[in-house]
Amino acid sequence: MKNILKYSLSLGIAAALLWYVFKDIDRVAMFEAFGKADYRWIVVSGLLTIVAHWSRAYRWGLLMEPVLGYRPAPANTTLGVLTGYFANLVVPRMGEVTRCGTLNRLEGVPVNVSFGTVVAERIFDVLMLLVLTGATFLIEFNRLSAFLTDFFASKASRSSTGSNSWLLVLAVGCLLGLGVMMWFFYNRYKEVLRQKPFYLRVEKFVTGLIEGLLSIRKLKHPGGFIFHTVLIWTLYYFMSYVLFFAMPQTADLGWRAGLTILIMGSLGMAAPVQGGAGAFNILVGAALALYGLSNQDGATLATLMLFSQWFYVVLLGALSFLIVMLKGRSPQPQAG
């Protein structure tokens, strides 16, 4: 029931966001624009998507090598990544667990260990997103500063700066106090806790998670990891940028607009809704308005981008899921 409620809530939020996006949009004109789009660029975007997913899977294998003593087959890590994206389209934030479960089925890699490496690569992705966000703000400072000022002006004017500061101090103090209490409780009763089966399972999971995180420090091929991290985000950029040329009204958008769309689209896809539905449309549509597009054209391009991503996720993810179901477990190499 809890899972059903969580799924229903995220689906309800996505539906509300999509209603907000399309309530003032001429949907007939939008689908007419889809019919006139140059789908060759959507195919190009799809090919870039495939390479990006393969690169992510290859990088994931590099992270697991120090922990396992061997590198999982790239084909199996690729199947794990694709099934994970497919699961995220159905249940938000389920993809990470799904891809670890897939690799466990194919190669017997413990879920807690592979999940630790997933967390580690997410940390690097967040760092890359922060770097790109900073670079984009420097390049497009005037546009983005005006956008953020307008967006937050009404909210900032409703609250008192002093009260917000005290609330922040209080929240930080409560978190620190809670952390100290938990640490004291653990040190005092850890021997008693270790006699409980549930605690042992949690401790084993956390140990595997930490081991996965520390794999970053033990990389055998740090140059390859950095290369694929840069490659992934470069491909993400061009996956969206080439779609500008799919419609004549957006073909003149420059490379700077591509950077802004990359940042806004990444934030939209990170929202806790199925496949970024609604959140992606709102953020990308608002960003496109900064470059002179009308609400109609901005919503059309944002929806075309989202639909093309969904199409490839469903196509590749469903195919990968079927392969995983039919494929037996690969022989596990000996750790070396």
Side-chain angles (χ1 to χ4, degrees), residues 25-113:
I25 299 298
D26 186 342
R27 288 179 287 278
V28 174
M30 174 182 289
F31 283 103
E32 287 178 354
F34 290 165
K36 298 176 182 177
D38 187 346
Y39 281 84
R40 292 175 298 179
W41 291 108
I42 295 177
V43 173
V44 172
S45 179
L47 294 174
L48 294 170
T49 300
I50 293 171
V51 178
H53 292 338
W54 169 82
S55 182
R56 176 172 291 280
Y58 190 89
R59 187 185 68 168
W60 188 27
L62 292 177
L63 270 176
M64 280 185 280
E65 188 176 8
V67 180
L68 302 176
Y70 73 96
R71 191 186 304 175
N76 290 334
T77 54
T78 302
L79 289 172
V81 168
L82 292 174
T83 53
Y85 279 119
F86 185 55
N88 262 343
L89 196 59
V90 180
V91 182
R93 308 277 72 83
M94 193 66 185
E96 287 79 3
V97 177
T98 300
R99 71 153 138 161
C100 294
T102 299
L103 199 62
N104 177 262
R105 176 184 175 88
L106 295 175
E107 298 222 16
V109 178
V111 172
N112 58 324
V113 173

Coordinates of all heavy atoms in Angstrom, one line a residue, residues 25-113:
I25 N -1.7 25.9 -24.1 CA -1.0 25.6 -25.3 C -2.0 25.0 -26.4 O -2.9 24.2 -26.0 CB 0.1 24.5 -25.1 CG1 1.2 25.1 -24.1 CG2 0.8 24.1 -26.3 CD1 1.9 26.3 -24.6
D26 N -1.8 25.4 -27.6 CA -2.6 24.9 -28.7 C -2.0 23.5 -29.1 O -1.0 23.4 -29.8 CB -2.5 25.8 -29.9 CG -3.5 25.4 -31.0 OD1 -3.9 24.3 -31.1 OD2 -3.7 26.3 -31.9
R27 N -2.7 22.5 -28.6 CA -2.2 21.1 -28.8 C -2.3 20.7 -30.2 O -1.5 19.9 -30.7 CB -2.9 20.1 -27.8 CG -2.4 20.3 -26.4 CD -3.2 19.4 -25.4 NE -4.5 19.8 -25.2 CZ -5.0 20.7 -24.4 NH1 -4.1 21.4 -23.7 NH2 -6.3 21.0 -24.2
V28 N -3.3 21.1 -30.9 CA -3.4 20.8 -32.3 C -2.2 21.3 -33.1 O -1.6 20.6 -33.9 CB -4.7 21.3 -32.9 CG1 -4.8 21.1 -34.4 CG2 -5.9 20.7 -32.2
A29 N -1.9 22.6 -32.9 CA -0.7 23.2 -33.5 C 0.6 22.5 -33.1 O 1.5 22.3 -34.0 CB -0.6 24.7 -33.2
M30 N 0.6 22.0 -31.9 CA 1.8 21.3 -31.4 C 2.0 20.0 -32.2 O 3.1 19.7 -32.7 CB 1.7 21.0 -29.9 CG 2.9 20.1 -29.4 SD 2.7 19.7 -27.6 CE 3.1 21.3 -26.9
F31 N 0.9 19.2 -32.4 CA 1.1 18.0 -33.1 C 1.3 18.2 -34.6 O 1.9 17.4 -35.3 CB -0.2 17.1 -32.8 CG -0.2 16.4 -31.5 CD1 -0.9 16.9 -30.5 CD2 0.7 15.3 -31.3 CE1 -0.9 16.3 -29.2 CE2 0.7 14.7 -30.0 CZ -0.1 15.2 -29.0
E32 N 0.8 19.3 -35.1 CA 1.1 19.7 -36.5 C 2.6 19.9 -36.6 O 3.2 19.5 -37.6 CB 0.3 20.9 -36.9 CG -1.2 20.6 -37.2 CD -2.0 21.8 -37.5 OE1 -1.4 22.9 -37.5 OE2 -3.2 21.7 -37.9
A33 N 3.2 20.6 -35.6 CA 4.6 20.9 -35.7 C 5.4 19.6 -35.6 O 6.5 19.4 -36.2 CB 5.0 21.8 -34.5
F34 N 4.9 18.6 -34.8 CA 5.6 17.3 -34.7 C 5.6 16.6 -36.0 O 6.6 16.0 -36.4 CB 4.9 16.4 -33.7 CG 5.0 16.8 -32.2 CD1 4.2 16.3 -31.2 CD2 6.0 17.7 -31.9 CE1 4.4 16.7 -29.9 CE2 6.2 18.1 -30.5 CZ 5.4 17.6 -29.6
G35 N 4.5 16.8 -36.8 CA 4.4 16.1 -38.1 C 5.3 16.7 -39.1 O 5.7 16.0 -40.0
K36 N 5.7 18.0 -38.9 CA 6.6 18.7 -39.8 C 8.0 18.6 -39.4 O 8.9 19.1 -40.1 CB 6.2 20.1 -40.0 CG 4.7 20.3 -40.6 CD 4.4 21.8 -40.6 CE 3.0 22.0 -41.1 NZ 2.6 23.4 -41.1
A37 N 8.3 18.0 -38.3 CA 9.6 17.9 -37.7 C 10.5 17.1 -38.6 O 10.1 16.1 -39.3 CB 9.6 17.4 -36.3
D38 N 11.8 17.4 -38.6 CA 12.8 16.6 -39.4 C 13.3 15.5 -38.5 O 14.1 15.7 -37.6 CB 14.0 17.5 -39.8 CG 14.9 16.8 -40.7 OD1 14.9 15.6 -40.9 OD2 15.8 17.5 -41.4
Y39 N 12.8 14.3 -38.7 CA 13.0 13.2 -37.8 C 14.4 12.6 -38.0 O 14.8 11.8 -37.2 CB 11.9 12.1 -37.9 CG 10.7 12.5 -37.2 CD1 9.7 13.3 -37.8 CD2 10.4 12.1 -35.9 CE1 8.6 13.7 -37.2 CE2 9.3 12.5 -35.2 CZ 8.4 13.3 -35.9 OH 7.2 13.6 -35.2
R40 N 15.2 13.0 -38.9 CA 16.5 12.6 -39.1 C 17.4 13.1 -37.9 O 18.3 12.3 -37.4 CB 17.1 13.1 -40.4 CG 16.5 12.5 -41.7 CD 17.1 13.2 -42.9 NE 16.8 14.6 -42.9 CZ 17.2 15.4 -43.9 NH1 17.9 15.0 -44.9 NH2 16.8 16.7 -43.9
W41 N 17.0 14.3 -37.4 CA 17.8 14.7 -36.2 C 17.4 14.0 -34.9 O 18.2 13.8 -34.0 CB 17.5 16.2 -36.0 CG 18.2 17.1 -37.1 CD1 17.6 17.7 -38.1 CD2 19.6 17.3 -37.3 NE1 18.5 18.4 -38.9 CE2 19.7 18.1 -38.4 CE3 20.7 16.8 -36.6 CZ2 21.0 18.5 -38.9 CZ3 22.0 17.2 -37.0 CH2 22.1 18.1 -38.2
I42 N 16.2 13.5 -34.9 CA 15.8 12.6 -33.8 C 16.5 11.3 -33.8 O 16.9 10.7 -32.7 CB 14.2 12.4 -33.8 CG1 13.5 13.8 -33.6 CG2 13.8 11.4 -32.7 CD1 12.0 13.7 -33.6
V43 N 16.8 10.8 -35.0 CA 17.6 9.6 -35.1 C 19.0 9.8 -34.7 O 19.6 9.0 -34.0 CB 17.5 9.1 -36.6 CG1 18.5 7.9 -36.8 CG2 16.1 8.6 -37.0
V44 N 19.6 11.0 -35.1 CA 20.9 11.3 -34.6 C 21.0 11.4 -33.1 O 21.9 10.9 -32.5 CB 21.3 12.7 -35.3 CG1 22.7 13.2 -34.7 CG2 21.5 12.5 -36.8
S45 N 20.0 12.1 -32.5 CA 19.9 12.2 -31.1 C 19.8 10.8 -30.4 O 20.4 10.5 -29.4 CB 18.7 13.0 -30.6 OG 18.6 13.1 -29.2
G46 N 19.1 9.9 -31.1 CA 19.0 8.5 -30.5 C 20.3 7.8 -30.6 O 20.7 7.0 -29.6
L47 N 21.1 8.0 -31.6 CA 22.4 7.3 -31.7 C 23.3 7.9 -30.7 O 24.1 7.1 -30.0 CB 23.0 7.6 -33.1 CG 22.3 6.9 -34.3 CD1 22.9 7.3 -35.6 CD2 22.3 5.4 -34.2
L48 N 23.3 9.2 -30.4 CA 24.1 9.7 -29.3 C 23.6 9.2 -28.0 O 24.5 9.0 -27.1 CB 23.9 11.3 -29.4 CG 24.5 12.0 -30.6 CD1 24.1 13.5 -30.6 CD2 26.0 11.8 -30.6
T49 N 22.3 9.0 -27.8 CA 21.8 8.4 -26.6 C 22.4 7.0 -26.3 O 22.8 6.7 -25.2 CB 20.3 8.3 -26.7 OG1 19.7 9.6 -26.8 CG2 19.7 7.7 -25.4
I50 N 22.4 6.2 -27.4 CA 23.0 4.8 -27.2 C 24.4 4.9 -26.8 O 24.8 4.1 -25.9 CB 22.8 4.1 -28.5 CG1 21.3 3.8 -28.8 CG2 23.5 2.7 -28.5 CD1 21.0 3.3 -30.2
V51 N 25.2 5.7 -27.4 CA 26.6 5.8 -27.1 C 26.8 6.4 -25.6 O 27.6 5.9 -24.9 CB 27.4 6.8 -28.0 CG1 28.8 6.9 -27.6 CG2 27.3 6.2 -29.5
A52 N 26.0 7.3 -25.2 CA 26.0 7.8 -23.9 C 25.7 6.8 -22.8 O 26.4 6.7 -21.8 CB 25.0 9.0 -23.7
H53 N 24.7 5.9 -23.1 CA 24.4 4.9 -22.2 C 25.5 3.8 -22.1 O 25.8 3.3 -21.0 CB 23.0 4.2 -22.6 CG 21.8 5.1 -22.4 ND1 21.8 6.2 -21.6 CD2 20.6 5.1 -23.0 CE1 20.7 6.8 -21.6 NE2 19.9 6.1 -22.5
W54 N 26.1 3.5 -23.3 CA 27.2 2.6 -23.3 C 28.3 3.1 -22.4 O 29.0 2.4 -21.7 CB 27.6 2.3 -24.7 CG 28.9 1.5 -24.7 CD1 29.1 0.2 -24.6 CD2 30.2 2.1 -24.8 NE1 30.4 -0.2 -24.6 CE2 31.2 1.0 -24.8 CE3 30.7 3.4 -25.0 CZ2 32.5 1.2 -24.9 CZ3 32.1 3.6 -25.1 CH2 33.0 2.5 -25.0
S55 N 28.6 4.4 -22.6 CA 29.8 5.0 -21.9 C 29.5 5.0 -20.4 O 30.4 4.8 -19.6 CB 29.9 6.5 -22.4 OG 31.0 7.1 -21.8
R56 N 28.3 5.3 -20.0 CA 27.9 5.2 -18.6 C 28.1 3.8 -18.0 O 28.6 3.6 -16.9 CB 26.5 5.7 -18.4 CG 26.0 5.6 -16.9 CD 24.7 6.2 -16.7 NE 24.7 7.7 -16.8 CZ 25.2 8.5 -15.9 NH1 25.6 8.0 -14.7 NH2 25.2 9.8 -16.1
A57 N 27.7 2.8 -18.8 CA 27.9 1.4 -18.4 C 29.3 1.0 -18.3 O 29.7 0.3 -17.3 CB 27.1 0.5 -19.3
Y58 N 30.1 1.5 -19.2 CA 31.6 1.2 -19.2 C 32.2 1.8 -18.0 O 33.1 1.2 -17.3 CB 32.2 1.7 -20.5 CG 33.6 1.2 -20.7 CD1 33.9 0.0 -21.3 CD2 34.7 2.0 -20.2 CE1 35.2 -0.4 -21.5 CE2 36.0 1.5 -20.4 CZ 36.3 0.3 -21.0 OH 37.6 -0.1 -21.2
R59 N 31.9 3.1 -17.7 CA 32.4 3.8 -16.6 C 32.0 3.1 -15.3 O 32.8 3.0 -14.3 CB 31.9 5.2 -16.5 CG 32.5 6.1 -15.5 CD 32.0 7.5 -15.4 NE 30.6 7.4 -14.9 CZ 29.9 8.5 -14.5 NH1 30.5 9.7 -14.6 NH2 28.7 8.5 -14.1
W60 N 30.8 2.6 -15.2 CA 30.3 1.8 -14.0 C 31.2 0.6 -13.8 O 31.6 0.3 -12.7 CB 28.9 1.4 -14.2 CG 28.2 0.9 -13.0 CD1 28.5 1.1 -11.7 CD2 27.1 -0.1 -13.0 NE1 27.6 0.4 -10.9 CE2 26.8 -0.3 -11.7 CE3 26.4 -0.6 -14.0 CZ2 25.8 -1.2 -11.3 CZ3 25.3 -1.5 -13.7 CH2 25.0 -1.8 -12.3
G61 N 31.5 -0.1 -14.9 CA 32.4 -1.2 -14.7 C 33.8 -0.9 -14.2 O 34.4 -1.6 -13.4
L62 N 34.3 0.3 -14.6 CA 35.6 0.8 -14.1 C 35.5 1.0 -12.6 O 36.5 0.7 -11.9 CB 36.0 2.1 -14.8 CG 36.4 2.0 -16.3 CD1 36.7 3.4 -16.8 CD2 37.6 1.1 -16.5
L63 N 34.4 1.5 -12.1 CA 34.3 1.7 -10.7 C 34.2 0.4 -9.9 O 34.6 0.3 -8.7 CB 33.0 2.5 -10.4 CG 33.1 4.0 -10.4 CD1 31.7 4.6 -10.2 CD2 34.0 4.5 -9.3
M64 N 33.6 -0.7 -10.5 CA 33.5 -1.9 -9.8 C 34.8 -2.8 -9.8 O 34.9 -3.7 -8.9 CB 32.3 -2.7 -10.3 CG 31.0 -2.2 -9.9 SD 29.6 -3.3 -10.5 CE 29.5 -2.6 -12.1
E65 N 35.7 -2.5 -10.7 CA 36.9 -3.3 -10.8 C 37.7 -3.4 -9.5 O 38.1 -4.4 -9.1 CB 37.7 -2.8 -12.0 CG 38.9 -3.7 -12.3 CD 39.6 -3.2 -13.6 OE1 39.3 -2.1 -14.0 OE2 40.5 -3.9 -14.0
P66 N 38.0 -2.2 -8.8 CA 38.8 -2.3 -7.6 C 38.1 -3.1 -6.5 O 38.7 -3.7 -5.7 CB 38.9 -0.8 -7.2 CG 38.6 0.0 -8.5 CD 37.6 -0.8 -9.2
V67 N 36.8 -3.1 -6.5 CA 36.0 -3.8 -5.4 C 35.9 -5.3 -5.7 O 36.1 -6.1 -4.8 CB 34.6 -3.2 -5.3 CG1 33.8 -3.9 -4.2 CG2 34.7 -1.7 -5.1
L68 N 35.6 -5.6 -6.9 CA 35.4 -7.0 -7.3 C 36.7 -7.8 -7.6 O 36.7 -9.0 -7.6 CB 34.4 -7.1 -8.4 CG 33.0 -6.5 -8.2 CD1 32.2 -6.6 -9.5 CD2 32.3 -7.1 -7.0
G69 N 37.7 -7.1 -8.1 CA 38.9 -7.7 -8.6 C 38.8 -8.1 -10.0 O 39.7 -8.6 -10.6
Y70 N 37.7 -7.8 -10.6 CA 37.5 -8.0 -12.1 C 36.5 -7.0 -12.6 O 35.7 -6.4 -11.8 CB 37.0 -9.5 -12.4 CG 35.6 -9.8 -12.0 CD1 34.6 -9.7 -13.0 CD2 35.3 -10.1 -10.7 CE1 33.3 -9.9 -12.6 CE2 34.0 -10.4 -10.4 CZ 33.0 -10.3 -11.3 OH 31.7 -10.6 -11.0
R71 N 36.4 -6.8 -13.9 CA 35.5 -5.9 -14.5 C 34.3 -6.7 -15.1 O 34.5 -7.5 -15.9 CB 36.1 -5.0 -15.5 CG 35.3 -3.9 -16.0 CD 35.9 -3.1 -17.1 NE 37.3 -2.7 -16.8 CZ 38.1 -2.1 -17.7 NH1 37.7 -1.9 -19.0 NH2 39.3 -1.7 -17.3
P72 N 33.1 -6.4 -14.6 CA 31.9 -7.0 -15.3 C 31.9 -6.8 -16.8 O 32.3 -5.8 -17.2 CB 30.7 -6.4 -14.6 CG 31.3 -5.9 -13.3 CD 32.7 -5.5 -13.6
A73 N 31.3 -7.7 -17.5 CA 31.2 -7.6 -18.9 C 30.5 -6.3 -19.3 O 29.4 -6.1 -18.8 CB 30.5 -8.8 -19.5
P74 N 31.0 -5.5 -20.2 CA 30.4 -4.3 -20.6 C 29.0 -4.5 -21.1 O 28.1 -3.7 -21.0 CB 31.3 -3.7 -21.7 CG 32.6 -4.3 -21.4 CD 32.4 -5.6 -20.8
A75 N 28.7 -5.6 -21.8 CA 27.4 -5.9 -22.3 C 26.4 -6.1 -21.1 O 25.3 -5.6 -21.2 CB 27.4 -7.2 -23.1
N76 N 26.8 -6.7 -20.0 CA 26.0 -6.8 -18.9 C 25.7 -5.5 -18.1 O 24.6 -5.3 -17.6 CB 26.5 -7.9 -17.9 CG 26.5 -9.3 -18.5 OD1 25.6 -9.6 -19.3 ND2 27.4 -10.2 -18.1
T77 N 26.8 -4.7 -18.0 CA 26.6 -3.4 -17.3 C 25.7 -2.5 -18.2 O 24.9 -1.7 -17.7 CB 27.9 -2.7 -17.1 OG1 28.7 -2.6 -18.3 CG2 28.7 -3.5 -16.0
T78 N 25.8 -2.6 -19.5 CA 24.9 -1.9 -20.4 C 23.5 -2.3 -20.2 O 22.6 -1.4 -20.2 CB 25.4 -2.0 -21.9 OG1 26.7 -1.6 -22.0 CG2 24.5 -1.2 -22.8
L79 N 23.2 -3.6 -20.1 CA 21.9 -4.1 -19.9 C 21.3 -3.6 -18.6 O 20.2 -3.2 -18.5 CB 21.8 -5.6 -19.9 CG 22.1 -6.3 -21.3 CD1 22.2 -7.8 -21.1 CD2 20.9 -6.0 -22.2
G80 N 22.2 -3.5 -17.6 CA 21.8 -3.0 -16.3 C 21.4 -1.5 -16.3 O 20.4 -1.1 -15.8
V81 N 22.2 -0.7 -17.0 CA 21.9 0.7 -17.1 C 20.6 0.9 -17.9 O 19.8 1.8 -17.5 CB 23.1 1.4 -17.8 CG1 22.7 2.8 -18.2 CG2 24.3 1.5 -16.9
L82 N 20.4 0.2 -19.0 CA 19.2 0.4 -19.8 C 17.9 0.0 -19.1 O 16.9 0.6 -19.1 CB 19.3 -0.3 -21.1 CG 20.4 0.2 -22.1 CD1 20.6 -0.7 -23.3 CD2 20.1 1.7 -22.5
T83 N 18.0 -1.1 -18.3 CA 16.8 -1.6 -17.6 C 16.6 -0.6 -16.4 O 15.4 -0.4 -16.0 CB 17.0 -3.0 -17.0 OG1 18.3 -3.1 -16.3 CG2 17.0 -4.0 -18.1
G84 N 17.6 0.0 -15.9 CA 17.5 1.0 -14.8 C 16.7 2.2 -15.3 O 15.8 2.7 -14.7
Y85 N 17.1 2.7 -16.5 CA 16.4 3.9 -17.1 C 14.9 3.5 -17.4 O 14.0 4.3 -17.2 CB 17.1 4.3 -18.4 CG 18.3 5.2 -18.1 CD1 19.5 4.8 -18.6 CD2 18.2 6.4 -17.5 CE1 20.7 5.6 -18.4 CE2 19.3 7.2 -17.3 CZ 20.5 6.8 -17.7 OH 21.6 7.6 -17.5
F86 N 14.7 2.3 -17.8 CA 13.3 1.8 -18.1 C 12.5 1.8 -16.8 O 11.3 2.3 -16.8 CB 13.4 0.5 -18.7 CG 12.1 -0.1 -19.2 CD1 11.3 0.6 -20.0 CD2 11.6 -1.3 -18.7 CE1 10.0 0.2 -20.5 CE2 10.4 -1.8 -19.1 CZ 9.6 -1.1 -20.0
A87 N 13.1 1.3 -15.7 CA 12.4 1.3 -14.4 C 12.1 2.7 -13.9 O 11.0 3.0 -13.3 CB 13.2 0.5 -13.4
N88 N 13.0 3.6 -14.1 CA 12.8 5.0 -13.7 C 11.6 5.7 -14.4 O 11.0 6.6 -13.8 CB 14.1 5.9 -13.9 CG 14.9 6.0 -12.7 OD1 14.5 5.8 -11.6 ND2 16.2 6.4 -12.9
L89 N 11.3 5.2 -15.6 CA 10.2 5.8 -16.3 C 8.9 5.3 -15.7 O 7.9 6.0 -15.9 CB 10.3 5.3 -17.8 CG 9.4 6.1 -18.8 CD1 9.8 7.6 -18.8 CD2 9.6 5.5 -20.2
V90 N 8.9 4.2 -15.0 CA 7.7 3.6 -14.4 C 7.6 4.1 -12.9 O 6.6 4.6 -12.5 CB 7.7 2.1 -14.4 CG1 6.5 1.5 -13.8 CG2 7.8 1.6 -15.9
V91 N 8.7 3.9 -12.2 CA 8.7 4.3 -10.7 C 9.9 5.2 -10.5 O 11.1 4.7 -10.7 CB 8.8 3.1 -9.8 CG1 8.7 3.5 -8.4 CG2 7.6 2.1 -10.1
P92 N 9.8 6.5 -10.1 CA 10.9 7.4 -9.9 C 11.9 6.8 -8.9 O 11.5 6.2 -7.9 CB 10.2 8.7 -9.4 CG 8.8 8.6 -9.9 CD 8.5 7.1 -9.9
R93 N 13.2 7.0 -9.2 CA 14.3 6.6 -8.3 C 14.4 5.1 -8.1 O 15.1 4.6 -7.3 CB 14.2 7.2 -6.9 CG 14.0 8.7 -6.9 CD 15.3 9.4 -7.0 NE 15.9 9.3 -8.4 CZ 15.5 10.1 -9.4 NH1 14.6 11.0 -9.3 NH2 16.1 9.9 -10.6
M94 N 13.7 4.3 -8.9 CA 13.8 2.9 -8.9 C 14.9 2.3 -9.8 O 15.3 1.2 -9.6 CB 12.4 2.2 -9.3 CG 12.3 0.8 -9.0 SD 12.3 0.5 -7.2 CE 12.3 -1.3 -7.2
G95 N 15.4 3.2 -10.7 CA 16.4 2.7 -11.6 C 17.7 2.2 -11.0 O 18.3 1.3 -11.5
E96 N 18.2 2.9 -10.0 CA 19.4 2.6 -9.4 C 19.4 1.2 -8.8 O 20.3 0.3 -9.0 CB 19.8 3.6 -8.3 CG 20.2 4.9 -8.8 CD 19.1 5.8 -9.2 OE1 17.9 5.4 -9.0 OE2 19.4 6.9 -9.7
V97 N 18.3 0.8 -8.1 CA 18.1 -0.5 -7.5 C 17.9 -1.5 -8.6 O 18.5 -2.6 -8.5 CB 16.9 -0.5 -6.5 CG1 16.7 -1.9 -6.0 CG2 17.1 0.5 -5.4
T98 N 17.2 -1.2 -9.6 CA 16.9 -2.1 -10.7 C 18.2 -2.5 -11.4 O 18.4 -3.7 -11.7 CB 15.9 -1.5 -11.7 OG1 14.7 -1.2 -11.0 CG2 15.6 -2.5 -12.8
R99 N 19.0 -1.6 -11.8 CA 20.3 -1.9 -12.5 C 21.2 -2.7 -11.7 O 21.9 -3.6 -12.2 CB 20.9 -0.7 -13.1 CG 21.6 0.3 -12.1 CD 22.7 1.0 -12.9 NE 22.8 2.4 -12.6 CZ 23.9 3.1 -12.9 NH1 24.9 2.5 -13.4 NH2 23.9 4.4 -12.6
C100 N 21.2 -2.5 -10.3 CA 22.1 -3.3 -9.5 C 21.5 -4.8 -9.4 O 22.2 -5.7 -9.4 CB 22.1 -2.7 -8.1 SG 23.0 -1.1 -8.0
G101 N 20.2 -4.9 -9.3 CA 19.5 -6.2 -9.3 C 19.8 -6.9 -10.6 O 20.0 -8.1 -10.6
T102 N 19.8 -6.2 -11.7 CA 20.1 -6.8 -13.0 C 21.5 -7.4 -13.1 O 21.7 -8.5 -13.5 CB 19.9 -5.8 -14.1 OG1 18.5 -5.3 -14.1 CG2 20.2 -6.4 -15.5
L103 N 22.4 -6.6 -12.6 CA 23.8 -7.1 -12.6 C 24.0 -8.2 -11.6 O 24.8 -9.1 -11.9 CB 24.8 -5.9 -12.2 CG 26.2 -6.1 -12.6 CD1 26.4 -6.2 -14.1 CD2 27.1 -5.0 -12.1
N104 N 23.2 -8.3 -10.5 CA 23.3 -9.4 -9.6 C 22.8 -10.7 -10.3 O 23.3 -11.7 -10.2 CB 22.4 -9.1 -8.4 CG 22.4 -10.3 -7.4 OD1 21.4 -11.0 -7.4 ND2 23.4 -10.4 -6.6
R105 N 21.7 -10.5 -11.1 CA 21.2 -11.7 -11.9 C 22.2 -12.2 -12.9 O 22.3 -13.4 -13.1 CB 19.9 -11.3 -12.5 CG 19.2 -12.3 -13.4 CD 18.0 -11.8 -14.1 NE 17.4 -12.8 -15.0 CZ 16.6 -13.8 -14.7 NH1 16.2 -13.9 -13.4 NH2 16.1 -14.6 -15.6
L106 N 22.8 -11.2 -13.6 CA 23.7 -11.6 -14.7 C 25.1 -12.1 -14.3 O 25.7 -12.9 -14.9 CB 23.8 -10.4 -15.7 CG 22.5 -10.0 -16.4 CD1 22.8 -8.7 -17.2 CD2 22.0 -11.1 -17.3
E107 N 25.6 -11.4 -13.2 CA 27.0 -11.7 -12.9 C 27.2 -12.1 -11.4 O 28.3 -12.4 -11.0 CB 27.9 -10.5 -13.2 CG 27.9 -10.2 -14.7 CD 29.3 -9.9 -15.2 OE1 30.3 -10.2 -14.5 OE2 29.4 -9.3 -16.3
G108 N 26.1 -12.0 -10.6 CA 26.2 -12.4 -9.2 C 26.9 -11.3 -8.4 O 27.3 -11.6 -7.2
V109 N 27.0 -10.1 -8.9 CA 27.6 -9.0 -8.1 C 26.6 -8.6 -7.0 O 25.4 -8.3 -7.2 CB 27.9 -7.8 -9.0 CG1 28.4 -6.6 -8.1 CG2 28.8 -8.1 -10.1
P110 N 27.1 -8.6 -5.7 CA 26.2 -8.2 -4.6 C 25.6 -6.8 -4.8 O 26.2 -5.9 -5.2 CB 27.1 -8.2 -3.4 CG 28.2 -9.2 -3.7 CD 28.4 -9.0 -5.2
V111 N 24.3 -6.7 -4.5 CA 23.6 -5.5 -4.8 C 24.1 -4.3 -3.9 O 24.3 -3.2 -4.4 CB 22.1 -5.6 -4.5 CG1 21.3 -4.3 -4.5 CG2 21.4 -6.6 -5.5
N112 N 24.5 -4.6 -2.7 CA 25.0 -3.5 -1.8 C 26.3 -3.0 -2.4 O 26.6 -1.8 -2.3 CB 25.2 -4.0 -0.4 CG 26.1 -5.2 -0.2 OD1 26.2 -6.1 -1.1 ND2 26.9 -5.3 0.8
V113 N 27.2 -3.8 -3.0 CA 28.5 -3.4 -3.5 C 28.2 -2.5 -4.8 O 28.8 -1.4 -4.9 CB 29.4 -4.6 -3.8 CG1 30.6 -4.1 -4.5 CG2 29.8 -5.3 -2.5

